[in-house]
Amino acid sequence: MKRRIEEMLEEAEKANAESRERWEAGRSQQHDFIVAEGFKQLREQFYLGNFVQLYNEAADTKVTFAEHLPEGRRPQPDFAVYEDTGAVHCYIEVTEWLEPYRNRDEEYRETFREGARPVGGVPGFAPASPIERLRDQLRKKLREKAPFYPCDTWLLVDDNVGLGFYAWADRTFGDVEVARAVVDELRSELTNISQVWLLREVTRPMTVHRLFP
């Protein structure tokens, strides 16, 4: 079902706020919006909505509507995105660039200790670890899923890593440079991915950066 992207973002933001309130009040052991599998679709709406807000600021053709595409026998992107006219503008697949010590499958299976981020870094993780993780993550998606996507699919990478204790943190857009280098390295494997974007969720205000082409 097509919905206004603005409404989808509002729904996700409300769910996020309510989840945080339950967690901070001690009614929940974790911030479910961040780590629970049941909130996956709402998190995707959150990423999509914030991306579209920033994208529309500079785009000649605005996008207004979107619909979640159901899972089927063949992989397909998370969203079909539409212009005001109702024409399909593109398809968008959302993926997350997470800290090296975070594992979605583990978070879905057990309580995630949100306060577990060590001050000053994670012992045993070299500065390059997030780069390797992003490379492996994108390569897996490009090889296993992207060949089945429509040819006008965009890949939206939510950046939850960019600031912190990594070697590029002292550069203004160091995480963007790192992500762009990884995407460029995988350029030959993009197949049906026509554009790649990075949403820097770690910054306030958020920023969005086109990594390819």
Side-chain angles (χ1 to χ4, degrees), residues 9 11 15 24 35 38 47-48 51 55 76 88 91 100 112 115 128 133-134 162 165 169 176 201:
L9 176 58
E11 179 185 37
E24 291 178 343
V35 298
Y47 304 146
L48 175 73
F51 166 73
Y55 172 80
Q76 60 180 345
V88 174
Y91 298 88
F112 174 65
R133 174 155 188 178
L134 179 63
F165 50 85
V176 180
E201 189 192 344

Side-chain angles (χ1 to χ4, degrees), residues 167-183:
W168 61 80
D170 59 348
R171 304 200 299 270
T172 303
F173 292 108
D175 52 319
V176 180
E177 296 172 14
V178 166
R180 183 172 285 118
V182 171
V183 170

Side-chain angles (χ1 to χ4, degrees), residues 108-120:
Y108 291 160
R109 286 195 301 265
E110 60 189 36
T111 299
F112 174 65
R113 294 180 299 117
E114 179 122 2
R117 179 198 301 259
V119 175

Side-chain angles (χ1 to χ4, degrees), residues 27 51 58 87 102 123 131 140 145 151 165 167 177 204 212:
R27 297 195 300 273
F51 166 73
R102 288 188 63 185
I131 303 175
K140 181 177 180 181
K145 295 185 176 182
C151 61
F165 50 85
E177 296 172 14
R204 294 293 186 273
F212 173 86

Side-chain angles (χ1 to χ4, degrees), residues 7 19 26 29 43-44 49 52 56 68 90-91 111-112 116 119 131-132 142-143 172-173 211-212:
E7 294 174 357
S19 172
Q29 292 184 324
R43 285 197 303 272
E44 291 169 350
V52 165
N56 279 345
H68 267 283
C90 66
Y91 298 88
T111 299
F112 174 65
V119 175
I131 303 175
E132 296 298 330
L142 294 175
R143 291 179 177 177
T172 303
F173 292 108
L211 304 181
F212 173 86

